[in-house]
Amino acid sequence: MAEEQKTRKDSSFFLSDIQCIPNGDRDLPPEYHAYRKKWNEVNEKLIVTDYPMHMDVELNMTCNYACVMCPRTAMNIKNEGQVMEPELYKKIIDEGKREGLLSVDFGDLGEALLRPDLVELIRYATDAGIPDRILHTNASLLTEEMSQRLLDAGITKFTVSLDAFSKESYDKIRIGGDYDKVVANVLKFLELKKKRGLSYPIVRLSFIRMSLNEHEVEPFVNFWKDKVNHIAIQEYINPGKLQDNSLKSSSSEFKEKPKKFVCTQLFQRLVIRWDGTIMPCCVDYENALALGNAHTMTLKEAWRSKKLQALRDIHLAGKFETIPACKLCIESKL
């Protein structure tokens, strides 16, 4: 690997991140850099801010894939019109603008590019002045026209889930996709970004290491390391322990429960599902820890609620296992 590459192990116990092309944030405004400084401080000191720094807004839970490791697949979720109403989305962004929201991710369990109004919704957050606007996608619908429109809309981070370095592995993992098409789409996006002379959006490729693809980690990194800003090598987790763990890689780093674990998500973010359900994290797929609904309460009320503060206090006391959903989250990784 190039000399500037560094591997970082997140204290969150979830992710290894390889920095490839640096300085993808060099042209982002001072507000963005102030936000990243605050993000690091909150994670380190577990500060409860007046308002969440970040929100995951699930614009839709529909998807055109049926990936073997995905919670949607494990829970047998069907595409049945699970799409957030534009009015609710705008209500969320409007409140965030008033309260100083710093970051928004346009997705959770679904494929955001399925929404025909996606670019307009991203632009709404950009115009609201939210410093960090993040899009995750499988890139199957990333046409050249869509790439141009996304660059125009002002996304600051762009993450593509690939999980393979061969068509053979891709076909086994990302059911419903076309490996060659997706790779071509990503390369075209990078070409268009370069032609515009843009340092951002910061581009990250995601690779979930499983028994089906662990032999491809090295060639995957070697191919993409001089093309993108980051490569995320993530461990497979068994969502809700609903699968038989046969997908777990032989070299998985998740060997035993951490002796002490405080989930930083409780201090970072709220997750708003497509139907308005407000969650304290992105891993409780069955909404056991729901705080309320954005249709009937503000996000600030949810963030400062007694229920969420109680969850934080339990984690800080080192008793996360007394919360069934949190215990299941950790056990799903083992």
Side-chain angles (χ1 to χ4, degrees):
M1 296 183 186
E3 184 176 344
E4 68 270 14
Q5 290 177 299
K6 296 180 181 179
T7 300
R8 173 177 55 80
K9 300 291 185 181
D10 260 6
S11 59
S12 63
F13 176 62
F14 300 148
L15 175 71
S16 296
D17 192 288
I18 301 170
Q19 180 178 319
C20 301
I21 300 174
N23 301 320
D25 59 358
R26 69 173 183 267
D27 295 325
L28 287 167
E31 294 80 7
Y32 172 86
H33 296 283
Y35 148 64
R36 293 309 300 172
K37 182 178 180 181
K38 183 176 182 180
W39 177 271
N40 292 333
E41 182 181 13
V42 167
N43 285 338
E44 180 182 348
K45 299 180 181 179
L46 300 176
I47 299 167
V48 181
T49 54
D50 188 54
Y51 196 75
M53 295 182 293
H54 173 85
M55 287 185 195
D56 293 314
V57 182
E58 187 175 66
L59 295 178
N60 55 288
M61 197 170 64
T62 54
C63 192
N64 55 348
Y65 278 22
C67 301
V68 295
M69 68 293 189
C70 181
R72 293 184 80 259
T73 305
M75 295 187 291
N76 197 31
I77 295 173
K78 307 298 184 184
N79 291 328
E80 296 176 342
Q82 304 99 324
V83 177
M84 180 177 285
E85 301 161 359
E87 294 76 16
L88 177 59
Y89 168 79
K90 291 179 180 179
K91 177 185 176 184
I92 292 167
I93 297 301
D94 290 346
E95 180 185 332
K97 179 180 180 179
R98 293 194 305 270
E99 299 290 346
L101 178 65
L102 298 172
S103 176
V104 61
D105 190 322
F106 307 102
D108 193 21
L109 288 182
E111 170 50 49
L113 289 181
L114 286 171
R115 285 200 65 137
D117 59 350
L118 174 64
V119 172
E120 289 73 22
L121 298 181
I122 293 173
R123 171 55 63 183
Y124 195 84
T126 301
D127 291 344
I130 296 172
D132 204 10
R133 289 93 53 189
I134 307 164
L135 180 64
H136 290 75
T137 179
N138 59 35
S140 62
L141 303 175
L142 188 67
T143 63
E144 181 172 349
E145 179 188 2
M146 177 55 72
S147 294
Q148 298 280 22
R149 295 179 67 205
L150 289 173
L151 291 171
D152 290 339
I155 54 173
T156 55
K157 294 191 179 79
F158 186 66
T159 296
V160 177
S161 299
L162 260 179
D163 304 311
F165 186 63
S166 70
K167 179 176 174 19
E168 180 183 10
S169 295
Y170 194 86
D171 288 347
K172 293 177 182 177
I173 296 168
R174 303 196 66 79
I175 310 301
D178 182 328
Y179 175 76
D180 293 331
K181 178 182 177 182
V182 167
V183 170
N185 289 348
V186 175
L187 292 174
K188 174 57 70 172
F189 182 89
L190 294 169
E191 178 188 331
L192 295 172
K193 174 187 166 184
K194 184 176 181 179
K195 281 184 177 180
R196 292 191 182 202
L198 299 173
S199 63
Y200 70 90
I202 299 165
V203 178
R204 186 179 84 167
L205 295 188
S206 176
F207 186 107
I208 297 178
R209 184 166 61 175
M210 295 171 275
S211 59
L212 297 173
N213 65 3
E214 57 186 320
H215 60 289
E216 294 187 350
V217 171
E218 185 174 353
F220 181 89
V221 172
N222 287 338
F223 178 79
W224 289 105
K225 66 184 181 182
D226 62 349
K227 299 176 178 66
V228 299
N229 299 99
H230 295 272
I231 298 173
I233 307 298
Q234 297 171 269
E235 295 287 10
Y236 163 74
I237 64 172
N238 185 348
K241 300 191 77 174
L242 295 172
Q243 297 174 340
D244 64 7
N245 243 15
S246 63
L247 292 175
K248 187 175 181 180
S249 72
S250 61
S251 53
S252 173
E253 296 182 16
F254 299 155
K255 304 297 184 185
E256 58 186 19
K257 293 181 186 178
K259 294 180 180 179
K260 184 176 182 181
F261 176 73
V262 179
C263 183
T264 54
Q265 291 203 33
L266 301 175
F267 301 84
Q268 297 168 343
R269 74 186 67 202
L270 290 175
V271 177
I272 302 91
R273 306 287 192 207
W274 70 272
D275 62 355
T277 302
I278 305 171
M279 300 297 301
C281 78
C282 65
V283 185
D284 178 14
Y285 305 116
E286 297 182 299
N287 297 351
L289 301 176
L291 304 170
N293 194 287
H295 285 287
T296 57
M297 70 187 301
T298 68
L299 299 168
K300 187 167 187 175
E301 288 171 338
W303 182 248
R304 306 296 293 187
S305 66
K306 291 181 179 179
K307 183 172 183 178
L308 181 49
Q309 188 56 48
L311 294 175
R312 296 185 187 113
D313 291 342
I314 291 170
H315 272 253
L316 289 169
K319 298 179 179 180
F320 74 89
E321 287 190 281
T322 64
I323 306 169
C326 299
K327 181 174 185 288
L328 180 60
C329 171
I330 294 300
E331 289 180 346
S332 293
K333 297 171 175 57
L334 302 173

